[in-house]
Amino acid sequence: VMDMRMREGARDGMHFTSQIGLLGIDAALEGPMGQNKDASYLVNYRYSTLGLLSSMGVDLSDEVISFQDLSFHLKWPVGKAGSVSFFGMGGNSSNVFETKDPGEWEEFKDRQDIEFSSHMGALGLSLRTGQWTATLMYSGNRHERYSDLYEMDGSSMRFEEDLSAENRLGLHVQRRFITASGFVDIGTRVNQISYDVQHAYALRNESVDDQQSSWLIQPYIDSKWTLNSRFTLQAGLHSSVFSLLNTGMIEPRLALRQRLSARNQVSLAYGLQSRLPSIQSMFYRPSLAQNTDLKLIKTNHVVLSHDYAISAVSKITSEIYYQHLYDIPISTDEQSIYSALKSIDAVGLQTLESEGTGRNVGLEVSYHHYLANATYYELNGTIFDSKYTGADGIKRNTRYNGRFGLNLTAGKEYSWTKTDKIKTIGVNLRISYFGGFWTGIVNEEQSSSELRTVFREADAYSQQLPALFRADARIYYKRIKAKYISILGLDLLNMTNQENVSYRFFDPLTDQVMNRNQLGLIPNLSYRIEF
């Protein structure tokens, strides 16, 4: 979807930025290195705890939530046009919920100690010289969750336990060939991947504990050509080989853009793309046999788009897209509705095969007004349909088939000069309105016996939850002086305190089907200073 790169540090001198707010603190330091100031550094650290918001009465579901992260980028020049970059990032987060006294139990969650933690890290070294680029990188992530269930007498048992971890050591090498009418990139990515998966659920005697490693090799060729003053062609051929599943494929991609006039251009693009099945799909199974006969998940993606420039600062873009997904992991049980496209649901212990399909089709239209006269805004609307088919052969809504979406983003600044400083008041607004998520009908009897939510297979995703509305606003006061900039800001997330329903679940304590709402109003007052 995107190729993200960390920006370089400033070379005109050292810069320091710090911010403190109700969500926590962050600080950044950047500047030049070396006598000639031709190298640079950039370091950023954030630490956050939501305890201050809890003390203000913001409903965070009685959880202690915290996170912190660090990122850096060091860059040195090599030769006339080359460079060496050393970069990295790492972070961790945790959600902790402690059981309440039995007299305060209002829902099943109150009977549990629940702890979730997540850790990720990445380090990379990149060399760019002439037309060659080579990057060596390590990355890893680890997610853990466990819960202990308490009885009235104070005794407890380990109720649930999950762990998933993935570590990658990768090398990416690319060579660019430049011609008079375009360029060709030839390269390959090689990754050694190791997995660690654990799962246990006491009431069903479910248990998985598995570690595996594999190779993912992805050679490719990409090109872009200017055919004439009106036509531009992009063409590529990618391939993937995954040793754990003993599978691979070749993926063609093609895009043609035509300039109809100075203001109009249209493009048609096609791509066959693939991705790996999830860790859970490959390793969760009902016996010692793994789901290692799965295939890569694939999609044929076709996009027709049109851009019309209304003026120098505004344009309208429209896009029609169609995706056919296939080789989706589904159950071998012909009565099952399970599909890997049901991403919100935990994967049960079952044997899977790559026989599922899915379809996404939609139209999206956007109006962009870029920053001009201290004002910007963008209006976006989409209508779409998202379906999947499981082993039972019935085409169903996916959870996210809301059918429509509307977004408005806008901002305005008012500035004036006083003595030796410039003062600015700014307002930003974002409003979103989407069709509600889809859910099924809860099997209350089975849910009560297993102490977890179980839906009726035949009624999967047959009911739509209410539409989601959210409005966020930011108001800030900025002062620009010769040596520093200061910003006092107030963010109001979900400022109307809308109770959007996220999902539906069965609560064994109350013996009722209940709705779990997204977070309500979250205010964040912050102060930022830049030197």
Side-chain angles (χ1 to χ4, degrees):
V1 175
M2 63 184 69
D3 185 7
M4 299 182 65
R5 300 177 185 271
M6 297 182 66
R7 71 173 180 86
E8 302 176 29
R11 291 187 179 145
D12 60 342
M14 188 186 76
H15 297 264
F16 176 74
T17 301
S18 178
Q19 178 171 292
I20 184 170
L22 297 178
L23 295 180
I25 61 171
D26 67 79
L29 185 66
E30 61 180 302
M33 297 189 298
Q35 293 183 347
N36 298 326
K37 296 185 177 181
D38 50 3
S40 65
Y41 66 90
L42 172 66
V43 182
N44 187 87
Y45 173 75
R46 297 189 305 168
Y47 176 80
S48 179
T49 176
L50 301 182
L52 287 175
L53 289 178
S54 297
S55 65
M56 295 174 58
V58 177
D59 183 11
L60 298 176
S61 302
D62 298 319
E63 297 183 17
V64 178
I65 305 172
S66 65
F67 68 84
Q68 59 180 324
D69 57 67
L70 173 72
S71 61
F72 67 89
H73 184 196
L74 311 178
K75 187 171 184 178
W76 299 268
V78 173
K80 293 184 179 180
S83 63
V84 172
S85 293
F86 179 51
F87 55 91
M89 63 182 67
N92 58 67
S93 63
S94 66
N95 292 32
V96 178
F97 179 87
E98 294 184 351
T99 184
K100 300 180 179 180
D101 293 333
E104 299 178 352
W105 290 352
E106 296 180 352
E107 59 177 317
F108 185 65
K109 181 180 178 180
D110 296 336
R111 291 181 55 188
Q112 301 176 66
D113 278 344
I114 304 174
E115 182 171 338
F116 170 83
S117 62
S118 178
H119 311 272
M120 70 79 60
L123 283 175
L125 183 65
S126 182
L127 171 64
R128 183 186 299 272
T129 174
Q131 305 302 318
W132 285 92
T133 302
T135 302
L136 179 67
M137 189 165 182
Y138 165 81
S139 64
N141 63 75
R142 183 182 181 92
H143 309 283
E144 295 179 79
R145 181 186 184 277
Y146 75 82
S147 67
D148 292 330
L149 183 63
Y150 284 81
E151 302 293 342
M152 295 289 292
D153 59 6
S155 62
S156 65
M157 59 174 285
R158 179 53 54 92
F159 184 54
E160 289 181 292
E161 190 166 4
D162 288 280
L163 178 148
S164 65
E166 179 179 319
N167 295 281
R168 295 191 179 208
L169 180 61
L171 175 66
H172 178 203
V173 179
Q174 177 183 288
R175 171 73 160 91
R176 170 163 289 189
F177 300 88
I178 300 177
T179 69
S181 58
F183 65 84
V184 178
D185 289 336
I186 299 177
T188 187
R189 295 179 174 89
V190 179
N191 284 275
Q192 197 278 330
I193 311 174
S194 61
Y195 300 100
D196 186 1
V197 177
Q198 298 176 28
H199 168 75
Y201 186 69
L203 294 189
R204 292 187 61 178
N205 196 28
E206 296 176 355
S207 179
V208 171
D209 188 350
D210 209 340
Q211 297 81 37
Q212 293 288 338
S213 62
S214 181
W215 289 90
L216 177 63
I217 303 173
Q218 299 170 291
Y220 65 89
I221 178 170
D222 282 330
S223 64
K224 183 175 182 179
W225 308 94
T226 301
L227 304 180
N228 52 45
S229 60
R230 296 178 60 192
F231 289 95
T232 302
L233 176 69
Q234 290 181 260
L237 197 64
H238 290 227
S239 61
S240 299
V241 177
F242 187 49
S243 64
L244 181 62
L245 301 181
N246 193 27
T247 187
M249 67 173 298
I250 296 177
E251 308 169 19
R253 289 108 187 253
L254 189 68
L256 180 64
R257 180 177 293 271
Q258 180 183 8
R259 185 177 181 182
L260 302 175
S261 66
R263 294 187 175 188
N264 273 289
Q265 59 181 357
V266 62
S267 64
L268 177 65
Y270 163 78
L272 173 60
Q273 300 164 358
S274 68
R275 68 175 178 87
L276 300 180
S278 67
I279 299 177
Q280 292 83 356
S281 295
M282 291 187 288
F283 295 114
Y284 282 14
R285 77 277 187 200
S287 64
L288 294 179
Q290 299 171 350
N291 288 317
T292 53
D293 58 348
L294 296 176
K295 302 175 184 179
L296 300 177
I297 296 175
K298 307 174 184 68
T299 176
N300 283 300
H301 191 174
V302 181
V303 180
L304 176 64
S305 60
H306 176 255
D307 291 355
Y308 175 69
I310 300 174
S311 67
V313 296
S314 63
K315 72 173 184 176
I316 293 178
T317 62
S318 56
E319 178 179 290
I320 300 174
Y321 62 87
Y322 175 83
Q323 290 179 321
H324 170 66
L325 299 95
Y326 62 102
D327 286 347
I328 310 297
I330 61 175
S331 175
T332 56
D333 179 0
E334 294 183 356
Q335 304 302 315
S336 174
I337 56 89
Y338 171 76
S339 169
L341 297 181
K342 287 162 27 84
S343 58
I344 192 172
D345 296 335
V347 178
L349 302 190
Q350 53 192 306
T351 304
L352 303 177
E353 59 183 356
S354 295
E355 297 295 334
T357 61
R359 185 208 67 190
N360 300 317
V361 59
L363 166 67
E364 183 170 347
V365 179
S366 299
Y367 173 77
H368 311 264
H369 185 279
Y370 302 110
L371 185 63
N373 299 320
T375 303
Y376 75 91
Y377 51 91
E378 177 175 315
L379 180 63
N380 167 272
T382 179
I383 54 174
F384 62 95
D385 189 45
S386 178
K387 297 288 179 59
Y388 83 94
T389 304
D392 61 356
I394 299 176
K395 185 179 293 184
R396 289 184 167 86
N397 296 300
T398 66
R399 165 175 161 79
Y400 301 101
N401 192 21
R403 304 279 175 80
F404 72 90
L406 293 171
N407 293 284
L408 171 64
T409 304
K412 175 69 176 177
E413 284 190 339
Y414 304 89
S415 300
W416 66 96
T417 303
K418 186 176 182 180
T419 60
D420 62 340
K421 54 179 159 299
I422 301 174
K423 297 184 177 182
T424 299
I425 292 179
V427 179
N428 291 284
L429 179 67
R430 179 176 59 200
I431 299 175
S432 300
Y433 183 57
F434 286 89
F437 299 134
W438 286 81
T439 187
I441 299 176
V442 175
N443 186 328
E444 298 187 28
E445 182 178 350
Q446 188 176 352
S447 298
S448 180
S449 64
E450 296 186 14
L451 300 185
R452 63 176 175 180
T453 304
V454 180
F455 291 94
R456 295 178 184 175
E457 289 270 301
D459 300 309
Y461 298 104
S462 59
Q463 297 183 347
Q464 189 173 20
L465 298 174
L468 294 88
F469 174 83
R470 173 164 167 164
D472 302 331
R474 173 174 173 81
I475 304 172
Y476 58 91
Y477 172 61
K478 178 166 60 176
R479 295 192 304 169
I480 303 176
K481 300 193 71 172
K483 294 184 178 182
Y484 71 91
I485 300 173
S486 64
I487 303 174
L488 178 65
L490 174 63
D491 293 271
L492 299 174
L493 307 179
N494 192 10
M495 64 179 181
T496 62
N497 200 29
Q498 180 76 18
E499 294 185 350
N500 290 311
V501 180
S502 181
Y503 59 90
R504 188 171 292 164
F505 69 101
F506 180 82
D507 190 289
L509 184 67
T510 62
D511 207 35
Q512 293 180 342
V513 177
M514 304 177 68
N515 292 331
R516 180 70 71 195
N517 294 334
Q518 298 178 0
L519 292 178
L521 170 65
I522 301 178
N524 181 35
L525 182 66
S526 63
Y527 178 73
R528 182 181 182 92
I529 188 165
E530 304 174 7
F531 292 98

